[in-house]
Amino acid sequence: MELKEVYKVSRVNEALEILETYKENAKVLAGGTDLVIEIKERKLKKEVLVDLSSVEELKFIREDSEFIEIGAGTTFTEISNNEILIQKVKGLSHAAKSVGSPQIRNRGTVGGNICNGSPAADTVPPLLALGATCLIKSKNSYREVNLRDIYLGKGQVDLKDNEILYSVKFKTPLSNQYVGFSKLGLRNALAIARISCAIFIEVDEDDYCKDIRIGSGAISTTPNREFELEKVLIGRKVDESFMEKACSFFEIIVKERLKGRSSMEFKKEAIKGIFKEALNNALKDRK
């Protein structure tokens, strides 16, 4: 099977009509930073390509009284430069700014980052830590899926052939809730995350952890919410002992998860530094 037709659409409904017609024979393109390479290498086994890059409906960042919602077609540059996100969700803005080169950030989208199903997607750990949900549309319906449940395996997401990811949304953090991100890449520029971590933390007036959510990347076949680690940390005072407990427990998690892999020894040590940096990034603006 080879590519025979490319549809450059301007409306969501137009894209959904085409997907409903061609289903498993069609593929959606957003920024194209990964898919174009796949096409050039003749690895794309689809007859129809649906190009969403001109669909303005998918390009937005908006806030209401409770939620922040980001359209799937919003680029990493737009996320990293948005004042709402810089002020209220700095960890997500930081993650978007860490993606590749300026050219990739100008083209790549948050929707593509999610739907590629990569375990190393930079914006996914902070979205996991934020408890984000995905709004998914087809021609005749829509559904909401928790981001943590959308990943089925490496490169596999819970998205049907006739569906597109419309947006991702999460509750706006309160004044005592903070989001931090850190990653370690193979090189300083254009780095794909070798390991990454994002932390959402709520701290009370006595510096006790009231709530914490942790998202990780590149230490499994999919991005992960670290529920077991979260359980250990809730209710503890955020001090040096908190950090030591988190790092030692995270090391055990990574060691077990990557047992038998050559990367295990490196990653079980690296995650401790990445966690510390993500937590420090989350808390450094606390007054």
Side-chain angles (χ1 to χ4, degrees), residues 221-240:
T221 55
T222 65
N224 279 279
R225 263 289 298 278
E226 301 296 344
F227 292 105
E228 293 302 313
L229 179 57
E230 294 166 10
K231 290 176 187 176
V232 169
L233 299 177
I234 290 174
R236 290 179 173 270
K237 188 164 186 174
V238 183
D239 55 14
E240 193 60 37

Side-chain angles (χ1 to χ4, degrees), residues 195-199 214-217 219 224-229 232-233 243-257 267-276 278:
I195 190 168
S196 62
C197 180
I199 299 169
I214 301 163
S216 65
I219 56 174
N224 279 279
R225 263 289 298 278
E226 301 296 344
F227 292 105
E228 293 302 313
L229 179 57
V232 169
L233 299 177
M243 192 79 82
E244 289 174 5
K245 182 71 175 179
C247 289
S248 62
F249 199 85
F250 216 164
E251 180 182 8
I252 293 168
I253 289 170
V254 173
K255 189 174 180 180
E256 180 64 27
R257 194 175 291 165
K267 289 190 174 183
K268 74 179 179 66
E269 294 300 323
I271 195 61
K272 294 185 283 188
I274 296 301
F275 178 89
K276 286 180 181 179

Side-chain angles (χ1 to χ4, degrees), residues 65-66 88 171-179 200-202:
S65 58
E66 190 176 3
K88 298 184 178 182
K171 284 190 175 183
T172 305
L174 303 175
S175 59
N176 64 334
Q177 297 173 334
Y178 313 93
V179 183
F200 166 98
I201 187 167
E202 179 178 349

